[in-house]
Amino acid sequence: MLKKYSALLLFTAIEICIAFISFNNYIRDNSVLQSVFTALFLVVLPAFYYFLTHKKETEFTFWFVFYSVFKLTPFIFQMENNFFEVIFQLKIYFNIAFLIFLVWKTFQFIRNFRKAIKQKDTIEQDEYSIISESLKESIPFKKLGNTIAFEVCSFYYCFIKWTGNKNNQNNFSGYQESGVTALYIGLMLASVFEAIGVHVFLISRSKTAALLLLVLHFYLIINLTGHLKAIFFRNHLILSQKIVIRYGLFDTLEIPLDSVTSIQKFEGDYEKSNQLVKFALLGKLEPHNISIELKNNIKVHLPFGITKQPNRILLYIDNANDFIKTIKTNTEENETLFKTKTLQIEKSM
């Protein structure tokens, strides 16, 4: 990650140095030097950064960086008698043009990103797994990587993901009969009304606090929407050797069939402990109807970098009976196959 962003960090450091040097009184009183430093800050360094990184960075990244530099320039350098004064007198038109251009580049970036994700999508690996694994590989700190993966996937499912994946007969959903859709929509509506009420109350007292709370509510709605859409699009999967648990923005969990002690329907209350994990962002507010007991503890990565090692898993499955039946059938087939191979080896010996 450091190698990938070293050019951007170096570019930022040099830009900060130029900005600090330009605050010198001698330079500020000299219109020619102001124009020279403005040219270095606005044109020369961004152009050098582009030619240095255009093969490594996306074009969208460069134009976003350049737009940020363009917005900062009039606040750092004096425009009176500056060679670039004419440009910033017309900055409203440049801002509109840049914003339209960035929107177009954003659209292109999202389209290419979705195409790349779809090419890597398989039965065992969905978009969430691909994005989160690539982010975790890029970030050396595991907890930070998990947290950033949650946030990025939240925005991905909220704004970009709109079509379902191809499913087979061993895919099982967990939202059609659970009532989580109504629960999350209710929470989002409550958050909207609360945001409006708090904003009206605070706007006359503290505009900063009102704006901050409004941004936090907007962020909460994005997370809830992203998680709910991820619940729709991410289904659990049963393979011949393992169970793949996918729930919303929770990290994918793979459970080997030979590590399952028992699996049964369970809808009662439970006590919170480190030996139990329920796949539900809202805890006991969300229902569950399946309990999976494991022979050994298994590591589970929860949202926001939280990690647990339980030996019992609770979750909700729409077709619970078919889910249990498929697992037991696959387990019996594996045991039969193992016994057959063992007998063959014994006979050959």
Side-chain angles (χ1 to χ4, degrees), residues 213-244:
L213 284 172
L214 189 65
V215 170
L216 289 174
H217 276 92
F218 184 67
Y219 165 78
L220 176 63
I221 290 172
I222 289 175
N223 273 340
L224 290 175
T225 305
H227 181 66
L228 180 60
K229 287 181 66 180
I231 292 174
F232 294 159
F233 292 128
R234 302 188 72 211
N235 292 330
H236 309 295
L237 176 66
I238 301 176
L239 300 173
S240 59
Q241 301 291 332
K242 61 185 177 181
I243 310 167
V244 181

Side-chain angles (χ1 to χ4, degrees), residues 13-202:
I14 297 174
E15 290 282 71
I16 292 172
C17 290
I18 292 173
F20 273 110
I21 293 171
S22 68
F23 286 126
N24 183 278
N25 291 330
Y26 177 74
I27 296 174
R28 294 184 76 84
D29 294 337
N30 191 316
S31 59
V32 176
L33 288 176
Q34 274 289 305
S35 299
V36 170
F37 276 88
T38 304
L40 285 173
F41 187 86
L42 179 64
V43 180
V44 177
L45 268 176
F48 182 73
Y49 170 74
Y50 173 75
F51 288 113
L52 187 66
T53 63
H54 72 281
K55 292 182 179 180
K56 300 177 183 178
E57 300 277 2
T58 61
E59 194 176 353
F60 172 78
T61 304
F62 166 74
W63 284 111
F64 181 79
V65 169
F66 181 73
Y67 180 71
S68 302
V69 171
F70 180 81
K71 293 289 289 183
L72 289 171
T73 299
F75 296 100
I76 297 174
F77 300 93
Q78 289 184 353
M79 289 294 110
E80 187 177 357
N81 297 323
N82 195 312
F83 178 77
F84 294 90
E85 182 180 3
V86 177
I87 294 176
F88 287 97
Q89 284 177 347
L90 304 172
K91 66 179 181 180
I92 184 170
Y93 303 107
F94 284 104
N95 279 329
I96 294 171
F98 267 127
L99 284 174
I100 294 173
F101 184 74
L102 281 176
V103 168
W104 169 244
K105 285 297 177 183
T106 303
F107 172 76
Q108 285 186 319
F109 173 77
I110 290 172
R111 184 181 60 185
N112 294 334
F113 180 74
R114 289 185 64 184
K115 188 183 295 184
I117 292 295
K118 281 292 184 184
Q119 289 174 352
K120 296 179 182 179
D121 190 15
T122 61
I123 295 176
E124 296 186 38
Q125 199 174 33
D126 62 352
E127 291 99 325
Y128 179 90
S129 301
I130 296 166
I131 296 170
S132 60
E133 286 176 11
S134 61
L135 285 171
K136 290 171 189 175
E137 288 175 0
S138 303
I139 299 170
F141 307 103
K142 289 185 179 180
K143 287 189 176 181
L144 180 62
N146 288 331
T147 303
I148 293 176
F150 178 87
E151 300 299 336
V152 171
C153 290
S154 176
F155 277 80
Y156 174 78
Y157 278 94
C158 181
F159 296 109
I160 301 177
K161 177 69 174 175
W162 294 101
T163 56
N165 299 331
K166 293 181 180 179
N167 296 325
N168 57 35
Q169 59 182 0
N170 289 332
N171 279 98
F172 293 88
S173 62
Y175 66 90
Q176 296 177 2
E177 301 174 7
S178 63
V180 293
T181 304
L183 178 62
Y184 278 94
I185 291 176
L187 281 175
M188 284 185 271
L189 290 175
S191 180
V192 170
F193 290 129
E194 183 185 1
I196 295 171
V198 172
H199 188 75
V200 171
F201 177 76
L202 286 177

Side-chain angles (χ1 to χ4, degrees), residues 262-272 276-279 284 286-293 312-317 319-321 323-324:
S262 67
I263 178 168
Q264 59 186 347
K265 295 185 72 173
F266 177 77
E267 299 181 6
D269 196 10
Y270 62 92
E271 292 183 4
K272 293 182 180 180
L276 182 144
V277 162
K278 179 179 176 179
F279 275 75
K284 291 188 176 183
E286 298 184 34
H288 58 272
N289 61 357
I290 293 290
S291 173
I292 303 176
E293 298 279 350
R312 187 184 179 198
I313 307 293
L314 296 180
L315 68 157
Y316 188 91
I317 303 293
N319 300 319
N321 292 327
F323 183 78
I324 295 172

